[in-house]
Amino acid sequence: MEQQRFDLTSQKQEEKTSGPVTCLGLTFDNAEARRAHFTEELRKKLQDPEFRKIEGFPIGSDEDILNLSDPPYYTACPNPWIADFIAEWEAQKPEQPDGYHYHREPFAADVSEGKNDPIYNAHSYHTKVPHKAIMRYILHYTEPGDIVFDGFCGTGMTGVAAQMCGDREVVMSLGYQVKLDGTVVQEETDTDGKKVWRPFAKLGVRKAVLNDLSPSATSISKMYNSSLDRNIVKKEANRVIEELKKQIAWLYKTKDPETGKECQVTSTIWSDVYYCPNCNGEIVFWDVAVDTEKKEVRAEITCPTCGKSELRKGDLVRAHEVVFDQFRQESRTVAKRRAVLIEYEFTKGRRTKEPDDDDIALLKSVAATKMNLFVPNCRIDRDIDLWYERDYRALGVDNVLDFFTVRAVCSISTFRHLSNKLASPNTRDVLNWVLTAVTEGSSLMNRERPGGMPSKLSGTLYIGALIREINPISFIERKFKKFFALNLPQLRASATSTQSMTGLGVLDDASLDYVFIDPPFGSNIIYSDLSILWEAWINIFTNTSSEAVVHRRKKQDPNTLREYMGLMTASFKEAYRVLKPGRWMTVEFSNTKASVWNSIQVALTEAGFIIANVSALDKKQGSFKAVTTPTAVKQDLVISAYKPNGGFEERFQKEAQTEEGVWDFVRTHLKYLPVTKQQGALLQFVPERDPRILFDQMVAYYVRKGYPVPISSQEFQVGLTPRFIERDGMFFLPDQVAEYDRKKMTSGELKQMSLFVSDEASAIQWLRQLIKEKPQTSADITPQFMKQLQGFSKHEKLLDQRELLNQNFLCYDGKGPVPEQIHAYLSTNWKELRNLPKDDPALVTKARDRWYVPDPNKAGDLEKLRDKALLKEFEEYKQAKKKLKVFRLEAVRAGFKKAWQERDYPTIVAVADKIPNNVLEEDPKLLMWYDQAVTRIGGE
Ligand SMILES: C[S@@+](CC[C@H](N)C(=O)[O-])C[C@H]1O[C@@H](n2cnc3c(N)ncnc32)[C@H](O)[C@@H]1O
């Protein structure tokens, strides 16, 4: 039996496919009766005008929404039963042993793992995270029975992952071992190089709440997270497909020229037609551009009429023709195309031929066919992004119908019609899923690529000059078989809603255990534009008003990124609200633009999350490295953020104005940070434990809460030492340090982070690391420092090395005893200098003119001096009448901080307006102050 594959934490999550079923406390004769009951409930709900006002409510009729939904598990609109599911699942949770306390460290794993899995590949989506990658996260962060949430779920891989965490075999396929008691163990290299198996998680199904703005996405997700009576589905689906074959066979008739035998066309290649710019002669692109022997498209062509050579495609003039469109009942001017090659089935193989008169006549009669079935007559008159980028109107494309040949529309419409007519709701769902799975491949976007496989161009709606139009029958059969063969969980452990993540009214506060999201990142992909081809067929559309994307058509508009950030902030606020305190959220980030990355960071902080770790996957090494600067964003990032636990938040209300609030924050935050990080057997520096990063985190928290920061960075550094324990420049809690020491003892070495110098702040950090390891003279530093300057941002005022050293470090002038840091360095590295007193002349001579890092108690004066210098520069920026091209970012940061403390918000906004937009957008600190200032001015 199917469900025996799973280690179920409760017996109630599968829905039997025959016989009585129980759902949300009600018992029904069978699954169909359950669906019928809740469909009627949903019908009533749809009458409620308030219900339709929920943010992101899809655009579609009641009937279409009811048809696509499988309530209460899935609704193609906001799902009114989600809270009921959560309450039921919460009650079913296995009991935890006495004294159980939830604690997890941040975690990162490869988000692209599992891209070859058949589940991942069964239905394409514009971007996806494979369920196997998500499983590691869910196993790490949750217990069996916990409730996982993905508010940007796309095709619902998080739901599959949550349920698969109960599948022993799949869990083991990730490289874990599963003990008899269900403990999942993973192999690790200890710091002394030994391989050990460590407990990692527990085997058991997790529950999933899924949501997406796009009805096509959630309808794909529905099938990955459903349970079916496979026998009935197979029988009914085969009947539909057989009937379809009969009804559309005439559309694909052709004759084998050799034998005269009637055959079925499998595909047809269409070519664009152009005019020669020289003689106006007609050019069929295929005829002149495709080298069938070499299987390639020539970059330069020769006109067959006038012989003009070296013509490129861009030189040709597009030809048009007027056709009568039966679907729209109007004459239309469209791009001229010719069918140039037909491939057809012949006995057991395939043959090709050039279209003959009968083929052309057939195509003409197909074009003249009248059909009374539903067609996706969806005018694309929105100002969609992809429209903006390409001149579709030149192609005569302004409707979803224009993405298909008439023949393809007839075939798919017939398929849709037969599925609705001949199949029961469950099978209809599967067939609708197959329909969207074949839509793009059956459209004009399927490019013929001589020498390669036909395919669409991803991330855009692109119609090429050479098209391979397929007969969708075998595609439909293939997709159905693939779906049927998938080893899906077939449980009912998920519930899906279609609405905007920015307003999840259906979810209660603090009701979920873990959030995994992979939101849209900036303008990488405009989901609703790409989904329009699917949504036109299901006849329900994404409500784009709250789609969290940066519209490319508005690229020049400085507000567009801010709008995106606003939507992301609202989404994160909702995630924060529904997450239980002390729990985690993982955000998968894949965009190379620092400004988008920054918006995400600021939005997370705005929402109340505290970022504990950001990791970038090093694909070559298969390991993660810490990321601290936005400029380093070149790969996929994994952000681990937590919602502070309730105890701390409450205490903080009382302590915020005092220094105790600061230390309480640090104490709580340190608990969430990884104690060690390893790369192979080597111990790595954990940047989040660095005092400067701890300070920034603390400031961000105060600022978001609207309190002035009660201490300076120098007071912070001084205050850390007596309260926490320092090791290798990182701070720990007393119970963490023992573990660190143990690992350090066996590993013996700590790998420092490599730093990328892009501005004054990172230059100081780089110098600190250099001098700390080896106090040295200015002359020694110069050649090394010069090398680092290549990556300096063009807007950043280049400070000279002397100034940087003077403002941040101390130089031993040979007077008085040799400072401890220099003494320690010299006595470990020079035999003859060992065990000498600190005023020994030999030691003094060797130590003279070396720079060293001041200890925090002495750093105060330096910092004050530097602050003064920075604020003086900021004063100049305030007075400046023109935009600032080159300036000191640190001065702007210092000035913003001071202005914020003094509630001088207009100054922040005024100076922000003078600096280039991208600099503001790419600097998390500036953006934070600026954002706060704008909000406060608005609120006052
Ligand atoms: C990167 S995709 C997620 C893909 C998903 N991880 C998967 O594996 O299929 C981002 C999704 O966010 C959705 N989206 C955009 N704006 C949204 C909003 N305001 N609320 C909910 N979903 C939204 C898009 O429709 C898209 O499906």
Side-chain angles (χ1 to χ4, degrees), residues 125 127-129 150-157 211-214 217 499-502 518-520 527 546-548 571:
Y125 195 53
T127 59
K128 272 175 107 161
V129 177
D150 184 348
F152 296 101
C153 75
T155 52
M157 292 296 114
N211 173 69
D212 199 281
L213 188 67
S214 153
Q499 64 189 99
S500 175
M501 169 96 179
T502 49
D518 159 35
Y527 289 85
S546 46
E547 188 176 22
S571 301

PDB file of all heavy atoms in Angstrom, residues 125 127-129 150-157 211-214 217 499-502 518-520 527 546-548 571, ligand 1:
ATOM      1  N   TYR A 125       8.377  25.311 -14.477  1.00  0.00           N
ATOM      2  CA  TYR A 125       7.936  26.600 -13.948  1.00  0.00           C
ATOM      3  C   TYR A 125       9.074  27.573 -14.231  1.00  0.00           C
ATOM      4  O   TYR A 125      10.180  27.166 -14.553  1.00  0.00           O
ATOM      5  CB  TYR A 125       7.628  26.501 -12.447  1.00  0.00           C
ATOM      6  CG  TYR A 125       6.836  27.694 -11.933  1.00  0.00           C
ATOM      7  CD1 TYR A 125       5.655  28.078 -12.543  1.00  0.00           C
ATOM      8  CD2 TYR A 125       7.285  28.427 -10.838  1.00  0.00           C
ATOM      9  CE1 TYR A 125       4.934  29.176 -12.084  1.00  0.00           C
ATOM     10  CE2 TYR A 125       6.561  29.523 -10.376  1.00  0.00           C
ATOM     11  CZ  TYR A 125       5.393  29.899 -11.012  1.00  0.00           C
ATOM     12  OH  TYR A 125       4.682  30.982 -10.563  1.00  0.00           O
ATOM     13  N   THR A 127      10.958  29.447 -12.423  1.00  0.00           N
ATOM     14  CA  THR A 127      12.130  29.043 -11.628  1.00  0.00           C
ATOM     15  C   THR A 127      11.596  28.130 -10.549  1.00  0.00           C
ATOM     16  O   THR A 127      10.442  28.245 -10.161  1.00  0.00           O
ATOM     17  CB  THR A 127      12.836  30.203 -10.878  1.00  0.00           C
ATOM     18  OG1 THR A 127      11.885  30.802 -10.009  1.00  0.00           O
ATOM     19  CG2 THR A 127      13.451  31.209 -11.788  1.00  0.00           C
ATOM     20  N   LYS A 128      12.452  27.263 -10.070  1.00  0.00           N
ATOM     21  CA  LYS A 128      11.992  26.297  -9.077  1.00  0.00           C
ATOM     22  C   LYS A 128      13.108  25.952  -8.114  1.00  0.00           C
ATOM     23  O   LYS A 128      14.271  25.994  -8.485  1.00  0.00           O
ATOM     24  CB  LYS A 128      11.641  24.982  -9.788  1.00  0.00           C
ATOM     25  CG  LYS A 128      10.224  24.911 -10.279  1.00  0.00           C
ATOM     26  CD  LYS A 128      10.030  23.650 -11.070  1.00  0.00           C
ATOM     27  CE  LYS A 128       9.215  22.680 -10.295  1.00  0.00           C
ATOM     28  NZ  LYS A 128       8.611  21.640 -11.120  1.00  0.00           N
ATOM     29  N   VAL A 129      12.732  25.574  -6.906  1.00  0.00           N
ATOM     30  CA  VAL A 129      13.707  24.980  -5.994  1.00  0.00           C
ATOM     31  C   VAL A 129      13.285  23.515  -5.828  1.00  0.00           C
ATOM     32  O   VAL A 129      12.139  23.237  -5.463  1.00  0.00           O
ATOM     33  CB  VAL A 129      13.699  25.681  -4.618  1.00  0.00           C
ATOM     34  CG1 VAL A 129      14.664  24.995  -3.667  1.00  0.00           C
ATOM     35  CG2 VAL A 129      14.080  27.143  -4.753  1.00  0.00           C
ATOM     36  N   ASP A 150       5.133  28.087   3.044  1.00  0.00           N
ATOM     37  CA  ASP A 150       5.798  28.722   1.901  1.00  0.00           C
ATOM     38  C   ASP A 150       4.781  29.642   1.235  1.00  0.00           C
ATOM     39  O   ASP A 150       3.809  29.179   0.642  1.00  0.00           O
ATOM     40  CB  ASP A 150       6.295  27.647   0.918  1.00  0.00           C
ATOM     41  CG  ASP A 150       7.074  28.260  -0.249  1.00  0.00           C
ATOM     42  OD1 ASP A 150       7.027  29.490  -0.418  1.00  0.00           O
ATOM     43  OD2 ASP A 150       7.739  27.499  -0.980  1.00  0.00           O
ATOM     44  N   GLY A 151       5.005  30.935   1.374  1.00  0.00           N
ATOM     45  CA  GLY A 151       4.034  31.916   0.871  1.00  0.00           C
ATOM     46  C   GLY A 151       4.250  32.301  -0.581  1.00  0.00           C
ATOM     47  O   GLY A 151       3.441  33.012  -1.166  1.00  0.00           O
ATOM     48  N   PHE A 152       5.381  31.869  -1.165  1.00  0.00           N
ATOM     49  CA  PHE A 152       5.653  32.094  -2.596  1.00  0.00           C
ATOM     50  C   PHE A 152       5.876  30.720  -3.214  1.00  0.00           C
ATOM     51  O   PHE A 152       6.904  30.468  -3.830  1.00  0.00           O
ATOM     52  CB  PHE A 152       6.923  32.929  -2.779  1.00  0.00           C
ATOM     53  CG  PHE A 152       6.846  34.320  -2.222  1.00  0.00           C
ATOM     54  CD1 PHE A 152       7.429  34.650  -1.000  1.00  0.00           C
ATOM     55  CD2 PHE A 152       6.220  35.329  -2.940  1.00  0.00           C
ATOM     56  CE1 PHE A 152       7.380  35.938  -0.503  1.00  0.00           C
ATOM     57  CE2 PHE A 152       6.173  36.624  -2.444  1.00  0.00           C
ATOM     58  CZ  PHE A 152       6.749  36.939  -1.223  1.00  0.00           C
ATOM     59  N   CYS A 153       4.912  29.836  -3.023  1.00  0.00           N
ATOM     60  CA  CYS A 153       5.190  28.403  -3.217  1.00  0.00           C
ATOM     61  C   CYS A 153       5.372  27.969  -4.656  1.00  0.00           C
ATOM     62  O   CYS A 153       5.873  26.873  -4.909  1.00  0.00           O
ATOM     63  CB  CYS A 153       4.084  27.573  -2.575  1.00  0.00           C
ATOM     64  SG  CYS A 153       2.561  27.588  -3.552  1.00  0.00           S
ATOM     65  N   GLY A 154       4.998  28.806  -5.640  1.00  0.00           N
ATOM     66  CA  GLY A 154       5.130  28.379  -7.035  1.00  0.00           C
ATOM     67  C   GLY A 154       4.485  27.013  -7.218  1.00  0.00           C
ATOM     68  O   GLY A 154       3.302  26.814  -6.906  1.00  0.00           O
ATOM     69  N   THR A 155       5.285  26.060  -7.670  1.00  0.00           N
ATOM     70  CA  THR A 155       4.752  24.726  -7.974  1.00  0.00           C
ATOM     71  C   THR A 155       4.635  23.825  -6.747  1.00  0.00           C
ATOM     72  O   THR A 155       4.414  22.621  -6.891  1.00  0.00           O
ATOM     73  CB  THR A 155       5.638  24.049  -9.011  1.00  0.00           C
ATOM     74  OG1 THR A 155       6.979  24.109  -8.532  1.00  0.00           O
ATOM     75  CG2 THR A 155       5.546  24.726 -10.350  1.00  0.00           C
ATOM     76  N   GLY A 156       4.848  24.373  -5.569  1.00  0.00           N
ATOM     77  CA  GLY A 156       4.550  23.611  -4.350  1.00  0.00           C
ATOM     78  C   GLY A 156       5.603  22.604  -3.921  1.00  0.00           C
ATOM     79  O   GLY A 156       5.291  21.633  -3.229  1.00  0.00           O
ATOM     80  N   MET A 157       6.842  22.872  -4.297  1.00  0.00           N
ATOM     81  CA  MET A 157       7.904  21.916  -3.937  1.00  0.00           C
ATOM     82  C   MET A 157       8.089  21.821  -2.415  1.00  0.00           C
ATOM     83  O   MET A 157       8.495  20.793  -1.897  1.00  0.00           O
ATOM     84  CB  MET A 157       9.223  22.316  -4.606  1.00  0.00           C
ATOM     85  CG  MET A 157       9.224  22.175  -6.112  1.00  0.00           C
ATOM     86  SD  MET A 157       9.036  20.452  -6.624  1.00  0.00           S
ATOM     87  CE  MET A 157       7.459  20.498  -7.420  1.00  0.00           C
ATOM     88  N   ASN A 211       1.100  28.820  -0.455  1.00  0.00           N
ATOM     89  CA  ASN A 211       0.380  29.973  -1.005  1.00  0.00           C
ATOM     90  C   ASN A 211       1.156  30.577  -2.160  1.00  0.00           C
ATOM     91  O   ASN A 211       2.385  30.583  -2.152  1.00  0.00           O
ATOM     92  CB  ASN A 211       0.210  31.037   0.088  1.00  0.00           C
ATOM     93  CG  ASN A 211      -0.376  32.315  -0.476  1.00  0.00           C
ATOM     94  OD1 ASN A 211      -1.537  32.328  -0.855  1.00  0.00           O
ATOM     95  ND2 ASN A 211       0.429  33.364  -0.578  1.00  0.00           N
ATOM     96  N   ASP A 212       0.439  31.053  -3.149  1.00  0.00           N
ATOM     97  CA  ASP A 212       1.072  31.826  -4.219  1.00  0.00           C
ATOM     98  C   ASP A 212       0.017  32.767  -4.792  1.00  0.00           C
ATOM     99  O   ASP A 212      -1.181  32.518  -4.715  1.00  0.00           O
ATOM    100  CB  ASP A 212       1.620  30.911  -5.318  1.00  0.00           C
ATOM    101  CG  ASP A 212       2.671  31.617  -6.179  1.00  0.00           C
ATOM    102  OD1 ASP A 212       2.284  32.416  -7.070  1.00  0.00           O
ATOM    103  OD2 ASP A 212       3.873  31.393  -5.953  1.00  0.00           O
ATOM    104  N   LEU A 213       0.527  33.844  -5.382  1.00  0.00           N
ATOM    105  CA  LEU A 213      -0.368  34.831  -5.994  1.00  0.00           C
ATOM    106  C   LEU A 213      -0.971  34.277  -7.286  1.00  0.00           C
ATOM    107  O   LEU A 213      -2.060  34.656  -7.690  1.00  0.00           O
ATOM    108  CB  LEU A 213       0.462  36.087  -6.293  1.00  0.00           C
ATOM    109  CG  LEU A 213      -0.243  37.329  -6.766  1.00  0.00           C
ATOM    110  CD1 LEU A 213      -1.123  37.889  -5.664  1.00  0.00           C
ATOM    111  CD2 LEU A 213       0.779  38.389  -7.182  1.00  0.00           C
ATOM    112  N   SER A 214      -0.224  33.400  -7.921  1.00  0.00           N
ATOM    113  CA  SER A 214      -0.614  32.951  -9.253  1.00  0.00           C
ATOM    114  C   SER A 214      -1.491  31.702  -9.217  1.00  0.00           C
ATOM    115  O   SER A 214      -1.078  30.663  -8.692  1.00  0.00           O
ATOM    116  CB  SER A 214       0.661  32.668 -10.062  1.00  0.00           C
ATOM    117  OG  SER A 214       0.411  31.707 -11.039  1.00  0.00           O
ATOM    118  N   ALA A 217       0.228  28.745 -10.826  1.00  0.00           N
ATOM    119  CA  ALA A 217       1.242  28.111  -9.967  1.00  0.00           C
ATOM    120  C   ALA A 217       0.563  27.207  -8.948  1.00  0.00           C
ATOM    121  O   ALA A 217       0.928  26.033  -8.796  1.00  0.00           O
ATOM    122  CB  ALA A 217       2.070  29.174  -9.253  1.00  0.00           C
ATOM    123  N   GLN A 499      -3.434  33.725  -3.044  1.00  0.00           N
ATOM    124  CA  GLN A 499      -3.623  35.126  -2.654  1.00  0.00           C
ATOM    125  C   GLN A 499      -2.258  35.768  -2.482  1.00  0.00           C
ATOM    126  O   GLN A 499      -1.240  35.108  -2.722  1.00  0.00           O
ATOM    127  CB  GLN A 499      -4.415  35.207  -1.342  1.00  0.00           C
ATOM    128  CG  GLN A 499      -3.690  34.592  -0.152  1.00  0.00           C
ATOM    129  CD  GLN A 499      -4.585  34.486   1.066  1.00  0.00           C
ATOM    130  OE1 GLN A 499      -5.127  33.422   1.339  1.00  0.00           O
ATOM    131  NE2 GLN A 499      -4.730  35.582   1.793  1.00  0.00           N
ATOM    132  N   SER A 500      -2.245  37.026  -2.059  1.00  0.00           N
ATOM    133  CA  SER A 500      -0.943  37.678  -1.916  1.00  0.00           C
ATOM    134  C   SER A 500      -0.371  37.430  -0.526  1.00  0.00           C
ATOM    135  O   SER A 500      -1.078  37.491   0.472  1.00  0.00           O
ATOM    136  CB  SER A 500      -1.076  39.184  -2.152  1.00  0.00           C
ATOM    137  OG  SER A 500       0.158  39.791  -1.887  1.00  0.00           O
ATOM    138  N   MET A 501       0.907  37.202  -0.535  1.00  0.00           N
ATOM    139  CA  MET A 501       1.636  37.002   0.723  1.00  0.00           C
ATOM    140  C   MET A 501       1.592  38.279   1.576  1.00  0.00           C
ATOM    141  O   MET A 501       1.848  38.243   2.772  1.00  0.00           O
ATOM    142  CB  MET A 501       3.072  36.638   0.342  1.00  0.00           C
ATOM    143  CG  MET A 501       4.075  36.620   1.426  1.00  0.00           C
ATOM    144  SD  MET A 501       4.320  34.973   2.061  1.00  0.00           S
ATOM    145  CE  MET A 501       5.567  35.283   3.302  1.00  0.00           C
ATOM    146  N   THR A 502       1.276  39.396   0.926  1.00  0.00           N
ATOM    147  CA  THR A 502       1.282  40.656   1.668  1.00  0.00           C
ATOM    148  C   THR A 502       0.086  40.785   2.619  1.00  0.00           C
ATOM    149  O   THR A 502       0.072  41.657   3.473  1.00  0.00           O
ATOM    150  CB  THR A 502       1.240  41.858   0.695  1.00  0.00           C
ATOM    151  OG1 THR A 502       0.177  41.621  -0.239  1.00  0.00           O
ATOM    152  CG2 THR A 502       2.529  42.009  -0.062  1.00  0.00           C
ATOM    153  N   ASP A 518      11.139  31.344  -1.414  1.00  0.00           N
ATOM    154  CA  ASP A 518      11.989  31.622  -2.562  1.00  0.00           C
ATOM    155  C   ASP A 518      11.245  32.695  -3.343  1.00  0.00           C
ATOM    156  O   ASP A 518      10.556  32.413  -4.301  1.00  0.00           O
ATOM    157  CB  ASP A 518      12.104  30.274  -3.330  1.00  0.00           C
ATOM    158  CG  ASP A 518      12.504  30.398  -4.767  1.00  0.00           C
ATOM    159  OD1 ASP A 518      13.285  31.281  -5.069  1.00  0.00           O
ATOM    160  OD2 ASP A 518      12.018  29.581  -5.581  1.00  0.00           O
ATOM    161  N   PRO A 519      11.325  33.951  -2.872  1.00  0.00           N
ATOM    162  CA  PRO A 519      10.480  34.998  -3.463  1.00  0.00           C
ATOM    163  C   PRO A 519      10.988  35.424  -4.835  1.00  0.00           C
ATOM    164  O   PRO A 519      12.107  35.073  -5.215  1.00  0.00           O
ATOM    165  CB  PRO A 519      10.609  36.161  -2.477  1.00  0.00           C
ATOM    166  CG  PRO A 519      11.606  35.769  -1.455  1.00  0.00           C
ATOM    167  CD  PRO A 519      12.224  34.476  -1.844  1.00  0.00           C
ATOM    168  N   PRO A 520      10.168  36.183  -5.566  1.00  0.00           N
ATOM    169  CA  PRO A 520      10.665  36.709  -6.838  1.00  0.00           C
ATOM    170  C   PRO A 520      11.738  37.742  -6.520  1.00  0.00           C
ATOM    171  O   PRO A 520      11.555  38.537  -5.596  1.00  0.00           O
ATOM    172  CB  PRO A 520       9.447  37.389  -7.455  1.00  0.00           C
ATOM    173  CG  PRO A 520       8.339  37.260  -6.485  1.00  0.00           C
ATOM    174  CD  PRO A 520       8.834  36.657  -5.222  1.00  0.00           C
ATOM    175  N   TYR A 527       6.711  36.881 -13.299  1.00  0.00           N
ATOM    176  CA  TYR A 527       5.937  35.633 -13.292  1.00  0.00           C
ATOM    177  C   TYR A 527       4.589  35.746 -13.989  1.00  0.00           C
ATOM    178  O   TYR A 527       4.207  34.878 -14.769  1.00  0.00           O
ATOM    179  CB  TYR A 527       5.764  35.136 -11.849  1.00  0.00           C
ATOM    180  CG  TYR A 527       7.073  34.638 -11.307  1.00  0.00           C
ATOM    181  CD1 TYR A 527       7.980  35.508 -10.731  1.00  0.00           C
ATOM    182  CD2 TYR A 527       7.427  33.311 -11.440  1.00  0.00           C
ATOM    183  CE1 TYR A 527       9.211  35.070 -10.287  1.00  0.00           C
ATOM    184  CE2 TYR A 527       8.643  32.858 -10.998  1.00  0.00           C
ATOM    185  CZ  TYR A 527       9.535  33.746 -10.422  1.00  0.00           C
ATOM    186  OH  TYR A 527      10.751  33.299 -10.009  1.00  0.00           O
ATOM    187  N   SER A 546      -0.443  43.220  -6.586  1.00  0.00           N
ATOM    188  CA  SER A 546       0.516  43.058  -5.481  1.00  0.00           C
ATOM    189  C   SER A 546       1.646  42.099  -5.832  1.00  0.00           C
ATOM    190  O   SER A 546       2.262  41.513  -4.961  1.00  0.00           O
ATOM    191  CB  SER A 546      -0.207  42.593  -4.212  1.00  0.00           C
ATOM    192  OG  SER A 546      -1.098  41.558  -4.505  1.00  0.00           O
ATOM    193  N   GLU A 547       1.932  41.968  -7.104  1.00  0.00           N
ATOM    194  CA  GLU A 547       3.023  41.065  -7.484  1.00  0.00           C
ATOM    195  C   GLU A 547       4.369  41.689  -7.108  1.00  0.00           C
ATOM    196  O   GLU A 547       4.668  42.828  -7.463  1.00  0.00           O
ATOM    197  CB  GLU A 547       2.995  40.777  -8.988  1.00  0.00           C
ATOM    198  CG  GLU A 547       4.002  39.694  -9.360  1.00  0.00           C
ATOM    199  CD  GLU A 547       3.944  39.305 -10.823  1.00  0.00           C
ATOM    200  OE1 GLU A 547       3.450  40.103 -11.638  1.00  0.00           O
ATOM    201  OE2 GLU A 547       4.433  38.198 -11.142  1.00  0.00           O
ATOM    202  N   ALA A 548       5.152  40.926  -6.384  1.00  0.00           N
ATOM    203  CA  ALA A 548       6.401  41.466  -5.852  1.00  0.00           C
ATOM    204  C   ALA A 548       7.539  41.352  -6.868  1.00  0.00           C
ATOM    205  O   ALA A 548       8.396  40.492  -6.765  1.00  0.00           O
ATOM    206  CB  ALA A 548       6.764  40.734  -4.562  1.00  0.00           C
ATOM    207  N   SER A 571       5.259  41.411   2.895  1.00  0.00           N
ATOM    208  CA  SER A 571       5.252  39.939   2.879  1.00  0.00           C
ATOM    209  C   SER A 571       6.015  39.388   4.084  1.00  0.00           C
ATOM    210  O   SER A 571       5.559  38.464   4.755  1.00  0.00           O
ATOM    211  CB  SER A 571       5.902  39.407   1.600  1.00  0.00           C
ATOM    212  OG  SER A 571       5.221  39.880   0.477  1.00  0.00           O
TER     213      SER A 571
HETATM  214  C1  LIG B   1      10.750  32.105  -7.347  1.00  0.00           C
HETATM  215  S1  LIG B   1       9.069  31.717  -7.527  1.00  0.00           S
HETATM  216  C2  LIG B   1       8.834  30.421  -6.449  1.00  0.00           C
HETATM  217  C3  LIG B   1       9.092  29.102  -7.082  1.00  0.00           C
HETATM  218  C4  LIG B   1       8.928  27.937  -6.153  1.00  0.00           C
HETATM  219  N1  LIG B   1       9.953  27.928  -5.142  1.00  0.00           N
HETATM  220  C5  LIG B   1       8.933  26.613  -6.909  1.00  0.00           C
HETATM  221  O1  LIG B   1       9.794  25.784  -6.627  1.00  0.00           O
HETATM  222  O2  LIG B   1       8.112  26.432  -7.790  1.00  0.00           O
HETATM  223  C6  LIG B   1       8.311  33.101  -6.813  1.00  0.00           C
HETATM  224  C7  LIG B   1       6.796  33.049  -6.759  1.00  0.00           C
HETATM  225  O3  LIG B   1       6.304  34.182  -6.070  1.00  0.00           O
HETATM  226  C8  LIG B   1       5.007  34.463  -6.578  1.00  0.00           C
HETATM  227  N2  LIG B   1       4.594  35.814  -6.134  1.00  0.00           N
HETATM  228  C9  LIG B   1       4.915  37.030  -6.618  1.00  0.00           C
HETATM  229  N3  LIG B   1       4.362  37.995  -5.866  1.00  0.00           N
HETATM  230  C10 LIG B   1       3.665  37.387  -4.882  1.00  0.00           C
HETATM  231  C11 LIG B   1       2.886  37.850  -3.788  1.00  0.00           C
HETATM  232  N4  LIG B   1       2.697  39.139  -3.545  1.00  0.00           N
HETATM  233  N5  LIG B   1       2.327  36.907  -2.986  1.00  0.00           N
HETATM  234  C12 LIG B   1       2.494  35.587  -3.199  1.00  0.00           C
HETATM  235  N6  LIG B   1       3.228  35.105  -4.219  1.00  0.00           N
HETATM  236  C13 LIG B   1       3.800  35.989  -5.049  1.00  0.00           C
HETATM  237  C14 LIG B   1       5.150  34.236  -8.056  1.00  0.00           C
HETATM  238  O4  LIG B   1       3.888  33.959  -8.631  1.00  0.00           O
HETATM  239  C15 LIG B   1       6.096  33.036  -8.089  1.00  0.00           C
HETATM  240  O5  LIG B   1       5.394  31.841  -8.207  1.00  0.00           O
END
